[in-house]
Amino acid sequence: MPSNAHEPKRQRELDGLLDPGTTALLTVECQQGVVGPDSALPELAEAARSSGALANVARLVAAAHASGVQVLHAVAERRPDGRGANHNARLFRAAARLPVRQLTGTAAVRVAPPVEVAAQDLVVRRLHGLSPLAGTDVDALLRNLGCRTLIVVGVSANVAVPNAVFDAVNLGYRVVVPGDAIAGVPADYTPAMIRHTLALVATVATTAEVLACVERAGRRT
């Protein structure tokens, strides 16, 4: 009988996916102007904080740093003159009118506490679109790093997170989504999105399950 026959199926599935050498963690728009105290989107910031999602992102980032899993931070920003930005959807036009704008070089586009950015992390900034992957350097960076599995966390469950998951799957990556490390609005939309959409294309887990898997991998190495 195999020595791991007693292990829960879920644990074996995650262990097979989350090899630190071929796994990367992508934080999506965990920036001060989105999830910080002075957010342009206070309802979303409140959801990210009150649900524990942002704290879970920070826990996952810390574990990734400790275990050698590459971390990438995807940040959405725009130039003060708006050059290159989209104007072809209500979301973009509304964002341009918000009192807090995600302008290049400002505090709004810095990664928000309690998420920490380490020297080895990669910060990928985009000036256009809805996805952290489409039209950015993320795919090329992941391939150069030998990544096969991408853990996606952050905001929002409404737009950027599903875009990231779909694009990663379309590009051939295996995707893991810790469901308690993403947030959207209204609060009850996030579990519906996870259950009816993300679970169809990604492996949905909890932060605790992913942390346990990463820690087991760290002990093996």
Side-chain angles (χ1 to χ4, degrees):
M1 179 179 293
S3 61
N4 66 346
H6 66 284
E7 294 179 354
K9 180 180 178 181
R10 173 58 128 214
Q11 177 179 320
R12 295 198 303 271
E13 178 186 12
L14 287 173
D15 283 346
L17 287 170
L18 299 178
D19 175 358
T22 57
T23 298
L25 172 66
L26 178 70
T27 76
V28 178
E29 296 184 25
C30 292
Q31 57 200 77
Q32 292 191 34
V34 177
V35 296
D38 299 318
S39 169
L41 304 164
E43 186 180 1
L44 177 59
E46 172 61 21
R49 292 177 175 276
S50 64
S51 68
L54 189 61
N56 285 334
V57 172
R59 294 170 63 204
L60 288 161
V61 168
H65 290 159
S67 65
V69 170
Q70 179 66 54
V71 178
L72 296 89
H73 303 280
V75 173
E77 59 183 51
R78 59 184 290 137
R79 289 167 48 113
D81 61 11
R83 285 185 180 272
N86 288 67
H87 305 282
N88 57 335
R90 288 175 56 198
L91 177 64
F92 301 122
R93 295 191 292 272
R97 296 192 297 269
L98 291 172
V100 178
R101 300 172 65 198
Q102 315 301 317
L103 298 181
T104 301
T106 66
V109 296
R110 296 176 191 156
V111 175
V115 181
E116 294 188 357
V117 181
Q120 68 268 26
D121 293 0
L122 298 170
V123 180
V124 181
R125 304 179 182 277
R126 76 176 194 275
L127 291 171
H128 62 86
L130 299 170
S131 172
L133 275 76
T136 74
D137 292 335
V138 169
D139 179 42
L141 293 172
L142 292 175
R143 293 187 188 281
N144 288 345
L145 290 163
C147 175
R148 296 182 60 199
T149 300
L150 187 63
I151 306 169
V152 177
V153 298
V155 297
S156 72
N158 304 76
V159 179
V161 167
N163 265 269
V165 172
F166 294 150
D167 285 345
V169 171
N170 285 332
L171 290 166
Y173 297 99
R174 304 173 302 189
V175 179
V176 174
V177 177
D180 54 355
I182 68 172
V185 290
D188 59 1
Y189 178 78
T190 300
M193 164 60 78
I194 293 170
R195 179 178 180 182
H196 299 295
T197 302
L198 298 185
L200 303 178
V201 295
T203 298
V204 176
T206 65
T207 294
E209 287 175 326
V210 174
L211 288 173
C213 181
V214 169
E215 290 167 0
R216 285 195 299 272
R219 289 194 294 271
R220 290 196 295 271
T221 58

